Structure formats: structure tokens, C-alpha cells
Amino acid sequence: MINVIQDGWGWIEVICGSMFSGKSEELIRRLRRAQIARQDVAIFKPAIDDRYSSDHIVSHSEQRLRSIAVTHAQEILEMAGDAHVVGIDEGQFFGMELVEVCNELANKGKRVIVAGLDQDYRGIPFEPIPQLLAIAESITKTLAICMVCGAPANRTQRLSSDSERVVVGAKDVYEARCRKCFQPPEQESASPSG
Ligand code: ZN
């Protein structure tokens, strides 16, 4: 049971979209606002994501904030401490465990902000983001711009045909695509038609 006056009000915010849609930028923007208001902020990212920096979260536009790299979502619970605001980047890499962790943090009165991909490179909902969307108080869907036709884009096209490959944040391996230009891997071909 939350004591609102003593513990503040907890809730969950999700920022989701395709790659190149500015999720991390938006996460960083919100966390910075909280820091400016002198709120205690704890920031986490999965240890798998070591692009650019291992102790910062970094957006494609090079904005950065100090963060803690963790392997399991459970570690976030243990390390969040007295933070008022808990930021989590690349939430899709934490698996379903993240849902309960976010719930617990919010129930303790913390503002939890999660950024992550809502679809994988096949256009399939990427757990646990869909589940987080269902329980979140606030949802922001960020849109990229389709790199083929310039329309608003919410899909991530993998340009490599290697389905085994795990590539995090590699600009030359992925493109943002709109619904019309996105091609699921089964029907992969060099140039999208239409
Ligand atoms: Zn397009």
C-alpha cells in the first residue's frame, strides 16, 4: 500500500518506438528535468548495450547521462536505493522480469521511466515493452522518419540478412521504415517497392 504523502506518488512512463526515433533523447530530456529539480535520479541500462560508453546512456545525437549497467532487471530493484526517479534505457533487453521490477518501484512511490523498442526487426511486439505499455500510467510513442520515403516511421528494418546476429545501435545495419516500406525478413530483397 502506497503512502502518498510519505513516499510521493509512483508511476510508470514508457517511451517506445523504432530505432532512430529519439527514445533515448526523450528519456535523457526527462531525467535531466528531474535532476534540475534536485530530484534523486538513478539510471540503468542493460550490460549488453555497450555502444559508445559503458557507464552512460547515450542517444544517437550524443547526449549522455551517467548510468549503471546491469545484467538482470532484479539488480535495478536492489540498486535504485532512495532515488525518486528511476530511468531505464533499452528496456527490451531485460525480458519479462522488468515488468514486475517496474511495478515494485512504482508501488514504492518512485517515478519509473522506461525507454525501449516496441517491435523487433521482424515487426513483432518486443517483450516486455507491450506488457509495460499495458500497466503504464503514461505512454509516449516516438516516431522516426522513413529512410526510404520520408513518411513517419515506427518500424526497424534490418539490412543484414543474418538472423543470428545481435547488433546494438549500429547505424549501418538498421533503418527506420514506415509501414509501407518495411519488409519483414521472410520477403527480404534489395529495394523496397512502392
Ligand atoms: Zn516509407
Side-chain angles (χ1 to χ4, degrees), residues 146 148-151 177-178 181:
C146 177
V148 175
C149 77
R177 295 276 180 94
C178 72
C181 300

Side-chain angles (χ1 to χ4, degrees), residues 90-111:
E90 302 286 0
Q92 75 277 0
F93 288 123
F94 284 111
M96 287 297 287
E97 195 185 326
L98 185 63
V99 178
E100 205 33 57
V101 166
C102 289
N103 249 339
E104 272 196 52
L105 291 167
N107 289 346
K108 285 182 183 171
K110 299 182 191 303
R111 177 185 175 197

Side-chain angles (χ1 to χ4, degrees), residues 121-132:
Y121 72 99
R122 299 165 298 172
I124 293 171
F126 204 155
E127 287 166 7
I129 302 299
Q131 287 75 12
L132 282 169

Side-chain angles (χ1 to χ4, degrees), residues 51-116:
R51 83 180 135 168
Y52 309 136
S53 165
S54 58
D55 58 352
H56 292 79
I57 57 170
V58 182
S59 71
H60 288 289
S61 64
E62 293 285 307
Q63 290 180 284
R64 60 180 59 221
L65 272 186
R66 288 192 77 81
S67 66
I68 303 164
V70 294
T71 310
H72 300 290
Q74 197 66 29
E75 297 169 63
I76 299 173
L77 263 188
E78 293 155 14
M79 299 173 83
D82 292 330
H84 304 116
V85 181
V86 178
I88 301 166
D89 201 13
E90 302 286 0
Q92 75 277 0
F93 288 123
F94 284 111
M96 287 297 287
E97 195 185 326
L98 185 63
V99 178
E100 205 33 57
V101 166
C102 289
N103 249 339
E104 272 196 52
L105 291 167
N107 289 346
K108 285 182 183 171
K110 299 182 191 303
R111 177 185 175 197
V112 183
I113 314 173
V114 185

